[in-house]
Amino acid sequence: MQSAAVRIGNCSGFYGDRIAAMREMLEGGELDYLTGDYLAELTMLILARDRARDPGLGYAKTFLRQLEDTLGLAVDKGVKIVANAGGLNPGALATAVRDLADRLGVSVDVAHVEGDDLVARAAELGLGAAPLAANAYLGAWGIAECLDSGADIVVTGRVTDASVIVGPAAAHFGWARTDYDALAGAVAAGHIIECGTQATGGNFSFFTEIADLRHPGFPIAEIASDGSSVITKQPGTGGLVSVDTVTAQLLYEIAGARYPNPDVTLRLDSVALSAAGPDRVRVSGVRGEPPPQTLKVSLNSIGGFRNATSFVLTGLDIDAKAELIRSQLESHLTVRPAELQWTLARTDHPDADTEETASALLHCVVRDPDPKIVGRQFSSAAVELALASYPGFTSTAPPGDGQVYGVFTPGYVDATEVPHIAVHADGTRVDIAPATETRVLAPLDDPAPPEPLDPGRTVRAPLGRIAGARSGDKGGSANVGVWVRTQSEWHWLAHTLTVQKLRELLPETADLPVTRHLLPNLRAVNFVIEDILGRGVAYQARFDPQAKGLGEWLRSRYVDIPERLL
């Protein structure tokens, strides 16, 4: 067991992230481990389609490109690498890494973790008849087993995003499986750094306060033996690590105060943040509970075929023009698609001094199991109206053939039904047992809100004048976390930003199930909005299919703010 803090950096927040980040992190300063998160719900669909075309694929190919550039450097510096880049085929990626190392003349032990792929057993486990991919979210103990046995590189399939950080910390300190507070602290640190530069100023509400955001550095978690940590970045890199940037990332894609992982449930309401120097934030006080008995499963399927076009409506009579083209197009369709959706974006301005700012966009999206209905039929109908519709008829681009779209569905299976296997460099396979102590995941009652603030004189102003926000997707749902910086602002926010108020400010949520959770330690409220994203990101149910801008829309809405808070 070690006593000094372990330095774990992250160099990837998604498949397609900055290709040079691995080298930047290795050259930028001392690290013990370098991790990468390459998998998202949409990524699993992309990799599943890769594997369907070629059974030898299904992993993040950019990981190999990064290693080709840096493997010798990592070995020279003694930095071990852990990444979930294995996707749907971690064994194949491990073999590819070994082949790469041989080609480069570098000696490394490469291990991998598998067992998450349940697609062959989907029907047996009640996960649907024939999904394209079905992957359980595994935990960190397979990674720890590989590292304990001397692996220099560990690649995994679908583990939780934080697990690539928890595994190295658990191996480094020799934690037991019931060291819940320490494990939860590592989950908190992992959740903060898993999305890369989102912890160092990327996608940050108060970005104008950051001196240099041209090339933000990737984050590092210095994790102590008790699970507490300091979040930082390599010296001299751009961006910012502050209590606010860390708060924003903690609020990303969460629900209530309990944040479940396969090894521990993190109590988000226990997390305390404090400044620990320039670009250093201490994360302490974290408590953990036994994990749930079930594992979440990412299910990706082909939903059908989709097509879309956007009509440009310019100048006067926008609503009448929209109604004309809508009625014309629908009457020209001999077979109505299973889904036909119209959205009018009023981007036009009166008396505009450019044609673009005088124009609105009318979007039409169609979906159907039959590619011909959303392909040739729809495209022909839209194009044939070019000289027979509203004045100034034009579109952003003519519609083409219908394209396949995917749907994401979360599933749950008992952890005892899911194999979790560490495969060492010599081929030895070690079964990782599921947690023996579990706890049913139940929502916590919200704490009592703080005393209401006497508003005094108020000013009509955007919520974002005092509040930050971070939003994201979770299957068909989205979350919006909103936080403020001072205790007085918190007293106001907790009583002002209710579910009812959110529905008023974001009319798209008016008829959707919405829950609110209070997180006083972070001076934050988190909203979970169900069904706003339809059947997942690939379904593209709305203008912003991943809900990344939802929080910024909320910040732009006007509310009555006490003048003294401004």
Side-chain angles (χ1 to χ4, degrees):
M1 177 182 290
Q2 305 288 327
S3 57
V6 60
R7 283 174 59 89
I8 304 174
N10 178 51
C11 67
S12 177
F14 66 100
Y15 188 13
D17 209 344
R18 188 190 307 166
I19 198 75
M22 187 175 286
R23 173 167 287 278
E24 291 173 7
M25 290 294 281
L26 288 169
E27 291 181 338
E30 294 303 310
L31 292 173
D32 298 302
Y33 295 90
L34 184 58
T35 66
D37 175 20
Y38 293 79
L39 303 182
E41 291 165 359
L42 181 60
T43 308
M44 298 301 284
L45 177 65
I46 294 169
L47 295 179
R49 297 188 68 188
D50 282 350
R51 185 177 64 174
R53 288 189 292 266
D54 181 347
L57 295 179
Y59 55 80
K61 296 185 287 291
T62 53
F63 178 71
L64 285 174
R65 289 174 54 198
Q66 291 174 301
L67 277 186
E68 186 170 16
D69 180 51
T70 61
L71 185 57
L73 177 61
V75 170
D76 290 345
K77 300 194 75 167
V79 178
K80 295 179 181 289
I81 296 174
V82 180
N84 62 11
L88 300 178
N89 208 343
L93 178 58
T95 298
V97 173
R98 293 186 192 103
D99 292 343
L100 172 65
D102 290 344
R103 195 163 68 249
L104 296 175
V106 178
S107 177
V108 289
D109 281 349
V110 183
H112 74 273
V113 177
E114 64 184 31
D116 60 291
D117 191 346
L118 305 178
V119 70
R121 299 169 56 208
E124 166 200 340
L125 296 171
L127 299 172
L132 192 61
N135 296 83
Y137 288 76
L138 301 180
W141 293 110
I143 296 170
E145 165 67 26
C146 292
L147 294 170
D148 284 340
S149 297
D152 302 302
I153 298 176
V154 183
V155 294
T156 77
R158 178 71 276 187
V159 297
T160 66
D161 298 345
S163 289
V164 296
I165 291 94
V166 179
H172 184 81
F173 293 116
W175 289 334
R177 298 189 62 154
T178 54
D179 287 334
Y180 295 128
D181 289 348
L183 291 166
V187 169
H191 180 57
I192 292 165
I193 73 170
E194 72 194 24
C195 284
T197 53
Q198 278 197 168
T200 60
N203 301 348
F204 178 55
S205 290
F206 303 112
F207 70 98
T208 57
E209 300 175 7
I210 300 176
D212 181 8
L213 197 53
R214 291 171 298 176
H215 198 79
F218 276 71
I220 298 167
E222 299 174 350
I223 302 177
S225 59
D226 64 353
S228 63
S229 64
V230 171
I231 307 301
T232 185
K233 62 186 181 73
Q234 299 287 34
T237 56
L240 173 72
V241 177
S242 69
V243 169
D244 282 320
T245 67
V246 172
T247 297
Q249 182 54 27
L250 274 172
L251 294 173
Y252 185 59
E253 295 182 344
I254 63 168
R258 285 192 165 111
Y259 184 71
N261 264 248
D263 308 313
V264 64
T265 294
L266 162 64
R267 286 287 297 269
L268 281 165
D269 58 334
S270 68
V271 178
L273 304 178
S274 58
D279 289 314
R280 294 179 66 82
V281 172
R282 184 171 304 282
V283 184
S284 60
V286 182
R287 290 164 48 208
E289 298 173 343
Q293 176 65 35
T294 57
L295 298 182
K296 184 179 178 180
V297 181
S298 170
L299 295 166
N300 285 280
S301 304
I302 298 301
F305 295 83
R306 179 187 184 278
N307 206 347
T309 191
S310 295
F311 300 99
V312 181
L313 314 176
T314 304
L316 304 177
D317 306 317
I318 296 293
D319 289 326
K321 290 171 179 174
E323 179 55 34
L324 174 60
I325 189 65
R326 185 184 297 124
S327 63
Q328 286 180 313
L329 181 58
E330 291 190 18
S331 69
H332 280 63
L333 298 174
T334 54
V335 180
R336 186 178 178 88
E339 298 179 49
L340 193 155
Q341 178 183 355
W342 294 92
T343 306
L344 177 60
R346 293 301 300 262
T347 51
D348 55 303
H349 302 276
D351 195 22
D353 57 4
T354 68
E355 183 178 341
E356 187 171 4
T357 56
S359 301
L361 292 173
L362 179 64
H363 307 291
C364 183
V365 178
V366 290
R367 299 182 185 88
D368 198 90
D370 187 342
K372 295 178 182 177
I373 291 176
V374 299
R376 187 184 312 117
Q377 179 202 225
F378 174 74
S379 298
S380 296
V383 171
E384 288 169 2
L385 292 169
L387 303 181
S389 189
Y390 61 88
F393 179 105
T394 189
S395 62
T396 56
D401 295 331
Q403 301 296 315
V404 169
Y405 72 89
V407 295
F408 170 84
T409 308
Y412 296 88
V413 297
D414 194 287
T416 60
E417 294 284 349
V418 181
H420 185 174
I421 304 165
V423 184
H424 295 306
D426 63 0
T428 303
R429 300 171 65 84
V430 178
D431 290 327
I432 306 299
T436 55
E437 182 181 12
T438 60
R439 178 172 180 168
V440 174
L441 187 67
L444 281 172
D445 292 334
D446 267 351
E451 290 295 316
L453 182 74
D454 180 7
R457 183 177 174 181
T458 62
V459 175
R460 194 81 175 156
L463 175 63
R465 284 283 301 277
I466 64 170
R470 175 67 59 80
S471 58
D473 59 290
K474 276 293 187 184
S477 301
N479 93 293
V480 183
V482 182
W483 84 95
V484 289
R485 300 174 170 190
T486 70
Q487 201 61 21
S488 294
E489 292 170 350
W490 167 238
H491 283 248
W492 173 81
L493 181 74
H495 288 275
T496 301
L497 199 55
T498 61
V499 170
Q500 179 180 347
K501 191 65 177 178
L502 182 89
R503 294 187 195 279
E504 293 174 12
L505 297 175
L506 305 184
E508 284 185 42
T509 69
D511 299 319
L512 299 175
V514 179
T515 54
R516 185 183 88 147
H517 307 275
L518 294 179
L519 296 168
N521 275 16
L522 302 177
R523 300 192 187 100
V525 294
N526 185 56
F527 295 92
V528 178
I529 306 165
E530 297 180 36
D531 303 329
I532 192 169
L533 302 181
R535 301 177 70 185
V537 173
Y539 184 75
Q540 298 189 50
R542 62 191 300 275
F543 163 71
D544 173 18
Q546 291 181 288
K548 302 303 185 187
L550 198 59
E552 288 302 297
W553 177 28
L554 178 61
R555 292 182 69 239
S556 73
R557 299 307 310 269
Y558 277 61
V559 293
D560 295 316
I561 302 176
E563 189 176 56
R564 65 179 182 273
L565 298 183
L566 296 172

